[in-house]
Amino acid sequence: MNQNVIETSRLRLRAWTPDDLPAFAAMNADARVMEYLPRVLNQAESDAMVTYIREHFNRHGFGLWAVEVIGVAPFIGFTGLSVPNFPAHFMPCVEIGWRLSYEHWGKGYATEAATAVMELGFNKLRFNQIVSFTTKNNLRSRRVMERLRMTHSAADDFEHPSLPAGHWFRPHVLYRLSRAEYEKNARRI
Ligand SMILES: CC(C)(COP(=O)(O)OP(=O)(O)OC[C@H]1O[C@@H](n2cnc3c(N)ncnc32)[C@H](O)[C@@H]1OP(=O)(O)O)[C@@H](O)C(=O)NCCC(=O)NCCS
């Protein structure tokens, strides 16, 4: 199985290359993209994130894939799976996440990429559960979670420990999808 490349009808999820770094830095410096993330990143911080992503792939065999639109755009952001490492009631877990450059929002790319990642996570990597979390107000990201048929319970809401007490987006929501639910949804289609 080649987990390094995942293809969908419009997208290729692939390993990162040095050519991706400038476009990734530009999106990480874009206040619209980073509205619900702690802060915009500079070039060095953005590059360090790619180093971290590469190390995560080496450690776990999966991670946040670079996403390209086949024949249209060589790099539009990332979608993938990661193992978060902060304390919370739902740890340990595997998280699905996404970040796309602003000009590629509103085309269904995040949901298309994440649908393929879910398939890999449940059917090939055989995870029993995949979660996703975001600050409460990040409705765009929550809509992706809901399109993936992940479910939210208020009992899972949590305060993100990496953000200072009182920070307006410290309150987070958690969405979950179990393998049993995923398989049940697949049978309904
Ligand atoms: C979260 C994020 C990835 C969502 O991107 P998105 O493009 O809104 O999400 P989707 O891929 O699901 O696209 C859905 C939209 O595409 C539209 N669309 C257009 N063509 C479509 C197609 N062929 N198929 C599906 N949807 C399509 C849908 O109608 C929907 O539009 P709407 O938002 O006006 O309702 C993006 O906003 C982002 O990168 N945000 C910043 C980073 C971030 O917050 N990440 C999460 C941190 S936890």
Side-chain angles (χ1 to χ4, degrees), residues 94 121-123 125-131 176-183:
V94 175
F122 284 121
N123 293 342
L125 301 175
R126 303 299 291 170
F127 295 129
N128 286 324
Q129 176 177 253
I130 294 175
V131 306
R176 302 177 184 259
L177 186 61
S178 68
R179 181 134 57 86
E181 288 160 343
Y182 177 79
E183 288 170 354

Side-chain angles (χ1 to χ4, degrees), residues 10 32-34 36-37 95 98-101 104-112 133-135 138 140-141 143-145 147:
R10 297 183 293 176
R32 297 167 300 185
V33 173
M34 304 303 275
Y36 298 109
L37 293 152
E95 180 204 5
W98 33 73
R99 188 181 304 173
L100 300 184
S101 58
H104 295 290
W105 293 9
K107 297 183 172 125
Y109 291 150
T111 298
E112 184 170 323
F133 50 82
T134 189
T135 186
N138 191 349
R140 271 192 171 267
S141 193
R143 282 205 295 274
V144 179
M145 297 170 198
R147 285 183 196 109

Side-chain angles (χ1 to χ4, degrees), residues 53-148:
I53 290 170
R54 285 212 178 95
E55 286 167 2
H56 187 290
F57 269 104
N58 291 340
R59 198 172 327 127
H60 297 284
F62 58 86
L64 301 174
W65 285 269
V67 179
E68 68 180 70
V69 187
I70 298 167
V72 175
F75 175 83
I76 65 163
F78 67 70
T79 301
L81 299 168
S82 61
V83 178
N85 59 4
F86 61 87
H89 69 277
F90 50 90
M91 300 294 177
C93 72
V94 175
E95 180 204 5
I96 188 164
W98 33 73
R99 188 181 304 173
L100 300 184
S101 58
Y102 183 76
E103 57 269 34
H104 295 290
W105 293 9
K107 297 183 172 125
Y109 291 150
T111 298
E112 184 170 323
T115 299
V117 167
M118 281 287 192
E119 209 257 326
L120 179 95
F122 284 121
N123 293 342
K124 301 221 169 74
L125 301 175
R126 303 299 291 170
F127 295 129
N128 286 324
Q129 176 177 253
I130 294 175
V131 306
S132 194
F133 50 82
T134 189
T135 186
K136 271 190 175 163
N137 298 336
N138 191 349
L139 300 184
R140 271 192 171 267
S141 193
R142 292 181 67 165
R143 282 205 295 274
V144 179
M145 297 170 198
E146 285 158 14
R147 285 183 196 109
L148 296 169

Side-chain angles (χ1 to χ4, degrees), residues 15-54:
W16 293 71
T17 75
D19 289 345
D20 300 326
L21 296 183
F24 191 49
M27 65 181 265
N28 286 329
D30 184 337
R32 297 167 300 185
V33 173
M34 304 303 275
E35 181 177 3
Y36 298 109
L37 293 152
R39 58 190 173 80
V40 295
L41 304 182
N42 64 32
Q43 173 92 47
E45 290 166 329
S46 178
D47 293 354
M49 187 173 171
V50 176
T51 301
Y52 178 83
I53 290 170
R54 285 212 178 95

